[in-house]
Amino acid sequence: MHPAAASAVLVDGVVLERQVEGHLARQIAEIYTGDPQTLLDGSVRLEDAFEANINRYLAASFLAQHGFAVRVSVATRSGKILYPSPHDPLEVRHADPRRVAVENFALLSEGLTVRIETRLEHNRLISNAILGVYILAALAALLLHYRSAGRQMSGKITSGAASLTAWPSARRRAPSDSLSSSRNASGCGRSSSAEDRYGKRALPGRAKRGRPDREIETLEEKLAENLGLQDSQQAEIQTFKDKIALLEKEQRREGKGRQKPTTPSKGDSPRYTRISW
């Protein structure tokens, strides 16, 4: 058991013992003398009356029989112990009733004090019932804590599942939105000058619209760089195409010049050269 819980049980046990002591003290004070007439006529000694009445009450008491060890003592104001009786009943069986009546009257006149001590015993009906109540209370507290923790966990799982479900669509929308805004900004820049294509003169316009997020700025810069690279690559490709076209034209001209025949016309007669030896 936890030290704090054990200390709480001990404190409750002490408080319960004090309450039982007060209850038993009131009950015994009502019955411990018995019939006062028998005491005044000397037929019963005061000590014997205390012995019989208190023992009968403790034997019938539920608290004393099923959980509490009870110790009762009755004494006079001067401190003389009357219960438990210090005398043997056999010694005072044949006492003079007059003398007994005088002693009883003197003791009653002096005043009596009842003292009761109780202790909650272990492994008895009442102690086991109290322990069961504490166990049930602890189980109820654990059950409530478990339910509250389960509700919190289920809420976190539900919110996490919802965020995971919405994350792909949000991820698809975010790049398209940022790219469209980047294209609009870069398109406006390209219409003004080549420097705007790289995002150099678009900064004042952006400052008027408000400072965008870092991610959008990075995407815009990358998009502007890619567009610039694409334009330069297209220009280089066009230059190469023009050169190739010129080379092809020159090759065709040279080919036509080499393939032109030198045959004589039909009206001309063949000429012979005369060689003299």
Side-chain angles (χ1 to χ4, degrees):
M1 184 181 291
H2 195 273
S7 62
V9 172
L10 291 176
V11 170
D12 292 342
V14 172
V15 173
L16 184 60
E17 288 176 354
R18 297 295 177 268
Q19 292 178 353
V20 171
E21 287 178 0
H23 173 72
L24 294 179
R26 290 190 297 270
Q27 294 291 324
I28 291 175
E30 294 177 358
I31 56 93
Y32 75 119
T33 56
D35 187 6
Q37 186 63 36
T38 58
L39 298 176
L40 295 178
D41 60 13
S43 57
V44 178
R45 295 177 63 251
L46 187 60
E47 294 88 340
D48 297 338
F50 290 163
E51 191 81 21
N53 295 329
I54 293 174
N55 290 342
R56 188 184 306 112
Y57 173 80
L58 295 177
S61 174
F62 178 83
L63 296 174
Q65 296 297 320
H66 297 285
F68 288 90
V70 182
R71 182 179 179 182
V72 183
S73 62
V74 181
T76 60
R77 300 285 184 180
S78 60
K80 181 181 179 181
I81 301 298
L82 301 179
Y83 178 85
S85 177
H87 302 290
D88 188 1
L90 296 176
E91 296 179 358
V92 294
R93 181 175 298 177
H94 301 289
D96 185 10
R98 280 187 178 177
R99 188 168 61 85
V100 172
V102 171
E103 291 179 356
N104 292 341
F105 182 78
L107 294 173
L108 292 173
S109 300
E110 184 177 352
L112 303 175
T113 302
V114 179
R115 295 184 59 186
I116 297 177
E117 296 178 2
T118 59
R119 181 174 56 86
L120 183 62
E121 295 183 335
H122 299 287
N123 201 19
R124 301 290 297 273
L125 179 61
I126 296 176
S127 59
N128 292 337
I130 294 172
L131 183 61
V133 170
Y134 278 107
I135 292 174
L136 291 176
L139 292 176
L142 288 175
L143 180 61
L144 292 176
H145 177 71
Y146 175 76
R147 286 184 176 179
S148 63
R151 283 194 293 269
Q152 293 178 359
M153 185 63 66
S154 62
K156 290 181 180 179
I157 292 172
T158 304
S159 61
S163 62
L164 287 175
T165 304
W167 180 70
S169 59
R171 188 179 181 185
R172 287 194 298 270
R173 287 197 302 270
S176 61
D177 296 340
S178 60
L179 286 174
S180 61
S181 62
S182 300
R183 286 173 183 172
N184 294 331
S186 61
C188 295
R190 285 200 305 273
S191 62
S192 61
S193 64
E195 292 181 356
D196 295 339
R197 206 175 291 151
Y198 295 92
K200 293 181 179 179
R201 294 184 181 178
L203 292 175
R206 273 193 225 125
K208 293 179 180 179
R209 293 192 303 270
R211 185 178 181 181
D213 294 336
R214 184 63 181 172
E215 183 179 357
I216 297 175
E217 290 181 357
T218 305
L219 290 173
E220 289 178 355
E221 293 175 359
K222 289 183 179 180
L223 184 60
E225 291 178 1
N226 291 331
L227 291 174
L229 290 175
Q230 288 179 3
D231 292 340
S232 62
Q233 288 176 358
Q234 288 178 359
E236 291 177 358
I237 291 170
Q238 188 64 35
T239 303
F240 284 127
K241 286 182 179 180
D242 295 339
K243 289 182 179 181
I244 291 170
L246 291 174
L247 289 174
E248 289 179 353
K249 287 181 181 180
E250 291 178 358
Q251 288 177 358
R252 284 197 296 269
R253 289 175 183 176
E254 291 177 358
K256 288 180 180 180
R258 291 176 183 176
Q259 293 176 0
K260 188 175 181 180
T262 57
T263 57
S265 61
K266 293 180 180 181
D268 296 335
S269 60
R271 297 177 182 181
Y272 299 96
T273 304
R274 192 174 188 177
I275 301 173
S276 61
W277 300 92

